[in-house]
Amino acid sequence: MDKFIIYKSKLSGEVSIGGSKNAALPIMAATLLTDEACVIDNVPDLRDIRTMVGILEVLGKEISFEKNTLVIKSKKSRKFVAPYRLVKTMRASFCCLGPLLAKQKKAKVALPGGCVIGPRPVDLHIKGLRELGADIYVDKGYCCAQAKSLLAKHIYLGGAFGSSVLATANVLMASVFTKGQTVIEYAACEPEIECLALFLKKMGADITGEGSPLLRIKGVKELSGCNFKIIPDRIEAATFIAAGLATGSKIKITGAEPLHLTSVLEVAKNMGASVMVSRDSDLFIKPKSFIHPVNITTLAYPGFPTDLQAQFMACLCLGKGISLIVEKIYPDRFMHVAELNRMGAGIQRSGPYAVVEGRKKLYGAEIMASDLRASAALVIAGLAAEGKSEVSRVYHIDRGYENIENKLEKLGAKIKRVKQ
Ligand code: UD1
């Protein structure tokens, strides 16, 4: 197991952003809808992507992955079972269910297990697929689905916590061949879903409304292969924004899509940073001498993303005053609070609320990463803290950030990966 050794750092210079993991994963699953070859560019080389490669290979794909380009072809024999040993390491594998069902009329995908960020049900996925006419049941830890033919339907896909990103992906992919028009109401509006819809359209699907809560899908007979480029990773870009804010460093971020970052840039401005977007969409972040406290509520897109709550909390630990963070997507996603407090932060959590009393300084400590985004928050805190920090279990961060320590080092960060 690797760990990071981090010292207080000042950052400067520029960092370039890779392709979006959360856009690439469902798009990779969508290649199950065709027997033709797909070439997908700007795919980040991450553990989660390699896991999805493994799952697709089991399901009958032949894949090469070089220099951030995936070439996905079909083998002669197709399979419809996504095994637990692979699915258990990554919940996003559940989005193979929709395309398998659409293409092969049957699917057996291991049910993802518990998750450190709290309960993550799949009821909306199942409800949506059932409404399309699938017969779905759970057997020995697997979600089994079959349907002679799927039927076009008007489906309301909102749940207790609003829209669901991967349930929208599953139902959207399941409906591409249905006769007639399927409508998904309360669809997720995240750029990653818009990107999936654009990929499906490039394959020949008839979809309108991508990026809005109302998707209309007219069934087509078949889909073909295509070439496609994945959108930039908005969570990676915003993680570097948070790193700049926490360390009081002026940085330039290239290759991001500022239009996907509106809520984040608004928060960064409210924290006192000046934010400039150049004509080439480069982002320039220049923090003030101190961080203004702000209130943040995580919401579905275009609201502030839950995947950035931990990183911005790390910044607010150094704010000049009291900030309130409300976690509306995963009310238990606060594993990083105790670790940040061990570094001298003043955070009190009650249910989905965290009150962050800003401190003048954080202090380096031995801290443990609990999940992907929480690890990024601890790295940010380590860069801003006095002295030395040791972040263990960084395999979490490798799930979602490509070369994070190299990118940070290039910005001048004192960070080193060592074997534990
Ligand atoms: C995706 C992202 C994840 C991000 C999350 C929320 C990927 C691979 N993962 O996860 O990084 O944190 O969106 O932006 O894209 N819910 C239900 N029933 C369901 C499904 C979800 O109640 O069947 C609830 C969840 O518990 C949560 C909310 O809906 O409270 C949103 O979750 P969802 O959008 O489904 O998250 P994922 O798609 O799993």
Side-chain angles (χ1 to χ4, degrees), residues 255-256 277-282:
V277 182
S278 77
R279 253 199 278 156
D280 307 335
S281 294
D282 292 336

Short mmCIF file of all heavy atoms in Angstrom, two decimals, residues 255-256 277-282:
data_model
loop_
_atom_site.label_atom_id
_atom_site.label_comp_id
_atom_site.label_asym_id
_atom_site.label_seq_id
_atom_site.Cartn_x
_atom_site.Cartn_y
_atom_site.Cartn_z
N GLY A 255 -7.49 23.09 -20.08
CA GLY A 255 -8.18 21.88 -20.55
C GLY A 255 -9.47 21.58 -19.82
O GLY A 255 -10.08 20.54 -20.06
N ALA A 256 -9.90 22.47 -18.94
CA ALA A 256 -11.17 22.23 -18.23
C ALA A 256 -12.32 22.85 -19.03
O ALA A 256 -12.08 23.58 -20.00
CB ALA A 256 -11.12 22.83 -16.84
N VAL A 277 -11.58 33.64 -16.76
CA VAL A 277 -11.61 32.60 -17.80
C VAL A 277 -11.12 33.24 -19.09
O VAL A 277 -11.67 34.26 -19.53
CB VAL A 277 -13.05 32.05 -17.99
CG1 VAL A 277 -13.06 30.94 -19.03
CG2 VAL A 277 -13.62 31.55 -16.67
N SER A 278 -10.08 32.67 -19.69
CA SER A 278 -9.55 33.26 -20.92
C SER A 278 -10.39 32.82 -22.11
O SER A 278 -11.26 31.95 -21.98
CB SER A 278 -8.10 32.81 -21.14
OG SER A 278 -8.11 31.48 -21.61
N ARG A 279 -10.07 33.37 -23.27
CA ARG A 279 -10.83 33.00 -24.47
C ARG A 279 -10.65 31.53 -24.83
O ARG A 279 -11.51 30.91 -25.42
CB ARG A 279 -10.44 33.90 -25.64
CG ARG A 279 -11.56 34.90 -25.92
CD ARG A 279 -11.45 35.50 -27.28
NE ARG A 279 -10.49 36.62 -27.25
CZ ARG A 279 -9.84 37.05 -28.31
NH1 ARG A 279 -10.02 36.48 -29.47
NH2 ARG A 279 -9.02 38.06 -28.21
N ASP A 280 -9.50 30.97 -24.45
CA ASP A 280 -9.26 29.54 -24.71
C ASP A 280 -9.82 28.66 -23.61
O ASP A 280 -9.46 27.48 -23.50
CB ASP A 280 -7.75 29.23 -24.80
CG ASP A 280 -7.06 30.13 -25.78
OD1 ASP A 280 -7.74 30.61 -26.70
OD2 ASP A 280 -5.84 30.34 -25.62
N SER A 281 -10.62 29.24 -22.74
CA SER A 281 -11.23 28.52 -21.61
C SER A 281 -10.22 28.14 -20.54
O SER A 281 -10.50 27.25 -19.73
CB SER A 281 -11.97 27.26 -22.08
OG SER A 281 -13.06 27.62 -22.85
N ASP A 282 -9.04 28.75 -20.53
CA ASP A 282 -8.13 28.51 -19.40
C ASP A 282 -8.68 29.25 -18.19
O ASP A 282 -9.25 30.34 -18.31
CB ASP A 282 -6.72 29.05 -19.71
CG ASP A 282 -6.06 28.25 -20.81
OD1 ASP A 282 -6.44 27.08 -21.00
OD2 ASP A 282 -5.17 28.80 -21.49
#
